[in-house]
Amino acid sequence: MELLLTVNGTVWEVSARPTARLIDVLRDQMGLSGTKEGCGEGECGACTVIVDGKAVNSCVMLAVQALGKEVLTVEGLAASGELDTLQQKFVEQGAVQCGFCTPGMLMSAKALLMANPLPSDQDIRTALAGNLCRCTGYKNIVAAVRAASGQETVAMEVPSEKEELLADLAVPGLAPAKLDEGGE
Amino acid sequence: MSTTDVVAPATTDELVAALARATPMTRLLAGGTDLVNDIRRPGRQTDLLIDLSHMPALSYVRHDGDMLRVGAMTTFTELQADPLVHEHAFCLERAASQVGSAQIRNVATIGGNVANASPCADGATALVALSAEVTTLDGSGHRATRPLRDVLLGSGRTALTDGEAIVEFAFAALGNEHRSAFAKIGWRTAVSVARLSMALVVRFDPVAEVLSEVRVGLGAVGETAFRDAVLEGLLEGRPADEESARILAEGCADAVRRSIPGRYSLPYKERAAVGLAYDAWNALRICPPCEPAWG
Ligand SMILES: Cc1cc2nc3c(=O)[nH]c(=O)nc-3n(C[C@H](O)[C@H](O)[C@H](O)COP(=O)(O)OP(=O)(O)OC[C@H]3O[C@@H](n4cnc5c(N)ncnc54)[C@H](O)[C@@H]3O)c2cc1C
Ligand code: FES
Ligand code: FES
């Protein structure tokens, strides 16, 4: 079927099977290969793009679902040839190693900043929770998003690993566990 | 693969016309987070996709007398942020906020969650505890309303017929004397389909200081989300104290034992059930209006 899709501000006319996923059309028909496919099941976030201002996984969305909507991919961030502030901060903060997760991370972070220009670390972690990174350990990514929002890159609030540990230590019937913070 | 036709109705009339064309190979497309991978499995044939995402009229939360009405196409992101859901169906807000990731919540709908009928569907578990009713629309324009528990038949099985779309969920809005909560235990904190979940709804009588109208929804325990009458009976009439929490936790482990005897996952689930019940119980404390003081 013929589809008219608006991607990065340009209207594209493509011919695709009705069951084609958005990621297939972006990568194969439009040549926008910045969007990556990791798991193909909605779990890793590598394929994240922004549709009508919201981050979505383009691997669990059909192209037809984007009809009449505005799609933004990582290519749209540096459309003028200059890196977006968010991209610059990713570079500066060392938030990129192998780079496979980066386009998805950028798009999740971009959607967050579009809706919430001054996010807390918790907001950032919630927005990025569906984006897996095998290399960086997330700290520098959160720092980069903070920096891109113009906020000081200060020490994290409770790191998520600690929260997870606390959850693991929870004993039914007792008050939630506390970690000994060394006299803090 | 044979060809698939796609229609994207924008009005109720167009939706009815599309539903009238449905065959056993027709699928409704909501957010696609379950469907997209499903229709791409080898051997799956789809003759018609009815894309509901151009039906803004199916996306709403509305107060109607004593009832809260939720359109089938309302996403978890919308439910999580909705002030009416916060005030009158806190367990649904908590369930919505714990679904998948931001990307999933942005498109995944409550209608798709129920129609997909996974035993661990978080939205369905909350709606079961809220004693929700489901309204559907079919290809002849007929609307039917029935209890959610009559729609959920088993894992991946519903009472919905070909060409029958869920259009709305409705349940009694919880008032000031009610509290509700939701908790789940999954593989990971984000992006986990629950391995066990509980939605609790109770009325706390501030004068008698006892629990009544107790409703307990369990997810991923049985073939489908269900209300556990035994657990509900254990709490009915009890004070809101630690002993009640303990009774709920033990009862929850029993419910797991009753529902899945001999399953390989049982020992893990029994222990998880105790933790789950305490999580849900403790979450009642943060339910608005949080007055009178609790427990
Ligand atoms: C990575 C990932 C994580 C997930 N995590 C969770 C989680 O934590 N908790 C959870 O509960 N679920 C989770 N899910 C499952 C899924 O996101 C939910 O079940 C979601 O609510 C499905 O809604 P949808 O709008 O995407 O439905 P779709 O995928 O569009 O449809 C699902 C099914 O319902 C049918 N359908 C859709 N709408 C209607 C309607 N109005 N009337 C009749 N039939 C209809 C479709 O035909 C299809 O069979 C996860 C999925 C993924 C991919
Ligand atoms: S490739 Fe889409 S979420 Fe992993
Ligand atoms: S930088 Fe390698 S996966 Fe994130």
Side-chain angles (χ1 to χ4, degrees):
Chain A
M1 67 190 290
E2 301 305 312
L3 295 178
L4 281 181
L5 292 175
T6 308
V7 180
N8 303 332
T10 306
V11 180
W12 299 67
E13 190 175 350
V14 295
S15 149
R17 289 216 317 250
T19 51
R21 302 172 306 171
L22 181 57
I23 190 170
D24 301 328
V25 170
L26 292 173
R27 289 179 57 91
D28 304 341
Q29 314 265 5
M30 302 178 180
L32 297 172
S33 56
T35 302
K36 303 297 180 220
E37 177 157 10
C39 64
E41 296 189 345
E43 294 274 354
C44 75
C47 65
T48 304
V49 299
I50 297 178
V51 174
D52 276 0
K54 296 207 165 82
V56 304
N57 292 321
S58 60
C59 74
V60 286
M61 177 178 261
L62 297 185
V64 292
Q65 291 177 263
L67 286 175
K69 304 194 165 147
E70 301 267 344
V71 181
L72 184 66
T73 71
V74 70
E75 287 85 353
L77 290 188
S80 63
E82 296 238 324
L83 291 187
D84 184 270
T85 312
L86 194 54
Q87 289 169 307
Q88 261 163 22
K89 296 298 173 192
F90 265 61
V91 174
E92 284 168 21
Q93 299 285 334
V96 183
Q97 286 186 27
C98 82
F100 192 80
C101 70
T102 310
M105 287 286 180
L106 286 167
M107 298 320 282
S108 284
K110 184 75 185 175
L112 170 68
L113 294 179
M114 281 159 63
N116 178 2
L118 286 178
S120 67
D121 281 2
Q122 185 57 53
D123 295 334
I124 297 172
R125 275 201 304 274
T126 302
L128 299 183
N131 292 78
L132 304 186
C133 175
R134 297 180 59 183
C135 309
T136 66
Y138 303 102
K139 241 179 129 170
N140 295 354
I141 295 176
V142 174
V145 180
R146 271 191 75 89
S149 68
Q151 303 182 79
E152 289 280 311
T153 309
V154 294
M156 305 294 114
E157 295 159 19
V158 189
S160 61
E161 295 95 312
K162 201 189 281 179
E163 282 169 359
E164 270 165 31
L165 180 58
L166 287 174
D168 285 347
L169 292 176
V171 177
L174 296 182
K178 287 201 178 67
L179 288 187
D180 185 349
E181 305 271 19
E184 222 181 273
Chain B
M1 202 171 100
S2 59
T3 53
T4 308
D5 203 3
V6 185
V7 284
T11 65
T12 305
D13 286 349
E14 288 172 16
L15 175 59
V16 169
L19 294 172
R21 290 174 56 193
T23 75
M25 290 195 303
T26 298
R27 305 293 297 272
L28 290 162
L29 170 62
T33 58
D34 284 315
L35 184 83
V36 169
N37 275 314
D38 190 52
I39 57 172
R40 292 170 54 84
R41 290 212 173 90
R44 279 271 196 279
Q45 298 249 330
T46 309
D47 61 353
L48 176 63
L49 275 177
I50 304 177
D51 180 0
L52 300 174
S53 58
H54 296 86
M55 296 265 328
L58 290 184
S59 177
Y60 57 85
V61 178
R62 204 180 282 147
H63 213 161
D64 174 15
D66 296 340
M67 305 293 277
L68 215 60
R69 299 189 179 277
V70 178
M73 285 298 290
T74 311
T75 64
F76 287 117
T77 296
E78 289 161 349
L79 288 173
Q80 181 187 352
D82 192 277
L84 289 174
V85 173
H86 178 73
E87 203 177 327
H88 300 295
F90 190 62
C91 61
L92 184 58
E93 176 196 298
R94 300 305 299 161
S97 69
Q98 291 174 56
V99 167
S101 58
Q103 293 97 312
I104 297 288
R105 292 190 294 274
N106 280 339
V107 288
T109 65
I110 186 72
N113 194 254
V114 167
N116 192 59
S118 160
C120 47
D122 293 333
T125 304
L127 287 177
V128 161
L130 289 164
S131 306
E133 290 182 334
V134 180
T135 298
T136 60
L137 179 68
D138 68 16
S140 58
H142 177 68
R143 273 171 204 270
T145 298
R146 48 201 195 276
L148 174 57
R149 62 165 191 278
D150 292 351
V151 172
L152 295 171
L153 299 184
S155 179
R157 290 189 301 123
T158 66
L160 301 173
T161 57
D162 298 327
E164 184 176 16
I166 298 175
V167 288
E168 185 180 87
F169 300 95
F171 49 84
L174 300 181
N176 280 350
E177 291 185 356
H178 287 91
R179 278 160 193 271
S180 71
F182 175 89
K184 77 172 178 180
I185 290 177
W187 296 120
R188 293 210 306 268
T189 30
V191 202
S192 69
V193 176
R195 301 294 143 167
L196 267 186
S197 60
M198 178 187 278
L200 274 180
V201 177
V202 299
R203 183 170 162 266
F204 183 61
D205 187 324
V207 182
E209 296 201 333
V210 293
L211 303 172
S212 61
E213 299 172 29
V214 179
R215 288 175 268 164
V216 184
L218 291 178
V221 174
E223 279 274 287
T224 180
F226 69 100
R227 265 180 63 183
D228 192 299
V230 178
L231 265 181
E232 293 174 354
L234 290 175
L235 289 186
E236 195 71 30
R238 285 204 45 89
D241 58 8
E242 277 303 313
E243 179 64 4
S244 293
R246 199 187 56 74
I247 289 172
L248 178 70
E250 278 182 9
C252 185
D254 276 343
V256 167
R257 231 169 275 139
R258 276 198 310 278
S259 303
I260 46 171
R263 285 247 210 111
Y264 71 95
S265 61
L266 189 59
Y268 158 72
K269 279 208 168 176
E270 265 183 39
R271 248 173 297 135
V274 170
L276 174 78
Y278 276 105
D279 283 355
W281 178 268
N282 288 331
L284 287 174
R285 286 178 220 273
I286 57 166
C287 174
C290 296
E291 289 296 330
W294 171 260

